[in-house]
Amino acid sequence: MEELISKIAELIIKSKHAVALTGAGMSTESGIPDFRGPNGIWTKNPDAERKAYQSYFKFQQNPKEYWIDRMTGASLLGDLINALPNPGHFALAELEKMAILKCIVTQNIDNLHQKAGSKRVLDYHGNISLLRCFSCDSRFDPREFELDRLLAEDRLPPLCRKCNGVLKSDVVHFNEAIPADVAQESQAEVGKCDLMLICGTSAVVHPFALLPRMAKQYQSKQKTIIIEINSDPTPLTEESISDYLIQGKTGTILPKIVEEVKKRTS
Ligand code: APR
Ligand code: ZN
């Protein structure tokens, strides 16, 4: 493992535009369950996944009901608002501070990369700490809307300050399009990157799972080195999309890589 960590550190130092793609595996060490791992939410409760596929349809049919459900039901992921970043998040934030990591494209809605200090984060599946307008895609801080009062006075859903459209959570539901701004910026980052760290994702949900495959296709122009950090091999490993798999916990491996990078660049 040490040899592989040194090799990866060397590759990261030599990179010109390193990008990280992250998934729920980054946050399990912060106490947030993943979806498809051995203790994943969908693994343990397939019914919950089937229900999750209904959320977007429900919002479109009856935004008021969607909001009442959302405000009165329990979150599947537990207490995300108070969750704290773990050493894996801080390690990626440090790589950004060293001007090596240029961007994180995350599927996680938990805001933990931002809490760890990462600045350039694209929330591919949205962010639990934001609301987004269904009509104009404007995003807002929920605290601007006195949501509890709207619930008590039967005045849900909250409406957009810009176009009076209906607001929903910024979280992207199954069958909902990835917000255009995030989709475009993520694709641009993948087109520019010459090294991709793929951390804690099973890489099975589309269109996110296309990003590493796009990076592989761009290889004709530039060799994009794709490095997976995951407790287990994934389809990216099996299809040889990734050039390396460091098998283990992101909270342990990422800090080791950053330590090695710091040793070699100081
Ligand atoms: N360190 C490294 N890998 C981990 C760790 C850890 N501490 N914990 C879990 N993993 C791995 C699991 O083995 C699995 O391969 O992370 C991966 C998590 O995969 P998923 O649970 O499928 O999560 P993710 O890939 O982010 O899911 C994508 O699916 O349900 C949707 O919208 C949801 O954004 C989510 C999307
Ligand atoms: Zn709007």
PDB file of all heavy atoms in Angstrom, residues 133 136 138 160 163 165, ligand 2:
ATOM      1  N   CYS A 133     -35.310  27.096  -7.361  1.00  0.00           N
ATOM      2  CA  CYS A 133     -36.582  27.395  -8.036  1.00  0.00           C
ATOM      3  C   CYS A 133     -36.816  26.422  -9.190  1.00  0.00           C
ATOM      4  O   CYS A 133     -35.934  26.217 -10.030  1.00  0.00           O
ATOM      5  CB  CYS A 133     -36.552  28.829  -8.572  1.00  0.00           C
ATOM      6  SG  CYS A 133     -38.013  29.220  -9.554  1.00  0.00           S
ATOM      7  N   CYS A 136     -36.802  28.854 -12.519  1.00  0.00           N
ATOM      8  CA  CYS A 136     -35.640  29.597 -13.066  1.00  0.00           C
ATOM      9  C   CYS A 136     -34.308  29.105 -12.513  1.00  0.00           C
ATOM     10  O   CYS A 136     -33.259  29.682 -12.797  1.00  0.00           O
ATOM     11  CB  CYS A 136     -35.806  31.090 -12.780  1.00  0.00           C
ATOM     12  SG  CYS A 136     -35.598  31.540 -11.046  1.00  0.00           S
ATOM     13  N   SER A 138     -32.939  29.494  -9.792  1.00  0.00           N
ATOM     14  CA  SER A 138     -32.255  30.330  -8.771  1.00  0.00           C
ATOM     15  C   SER A 138     -32.191  29.549  -7.471  1.00  0.00           C
ATOM     16  O   SER A 138     -33.124  28.792  -7.140  1.00  0.00           O
ATOM     17  CB  SER A 138     -33.037  31.630  -8.533  1.00  0.00           C
ATOM     18  OG  SER A 138     -33.146  32.328  -9.744  1.00  0.00           O
ATOM     19  N   CYS A 160     -40.400  31.591  -5.331  1.00  0.00           N
ATOM     20  CA  CYS A 160     -39.133  32.197  -5.742  1.00  0.00           C
ATOM     21  C   CYS A 160     -39.190  33.719  -5.624  1.00  0.00           C
ATOM     22  O   CYS A 160     -40.172  34.347  -6.026  1.00  0.00           O
ATOM     23  CB  CYS A 160     -38.873  31.805  -7.201  1.00  0.00           C
ATOM     24  SG  CYS A 160     -37.440  32.578  -7.943  1.00  0.00           S
ATOM     25  N   CYS A 163     -38.879  34.937  -9.622  1.00  0.00           N
ATOM     26  CA  CYS A 163     -39.902  34.764 -10.680  1.00  0.00           C
ATOM     27  C   CYS A 163     -41.218  34.259 -10.127  1.00  0.00           C
ATOM     28  O   CYS A 163     -42.134  33.938 -10.887  1.00  0.00           O
ATOM     29  CB  CYS A 163     -39.364  33.762 -11.725  1.00  0.00           C
ATOM     30  SG  CYS A 163     -39.433  32.059 -11.159  1.00  0.00           S
ATOM     31  N   GLY A 165     -41.831  31.493  -9.004  1.00  0.00           N
ATOM     32  CA  GLY A 165     -41.991  30.046  -9.262  1.00  0.00           C
ATOM     33  C   GLY A 165     -41.965  29.262  -7.959  1.00  0.00           C
ATOM     34  O   GLY A 165     -41.607  29.808  -6.897  1.00  0.00           O
TER      35      GLY A 165
HETATM   36 ZN    ZN B   2     -37.542  31.478 -10.008  1.00  0.00          ZN
END
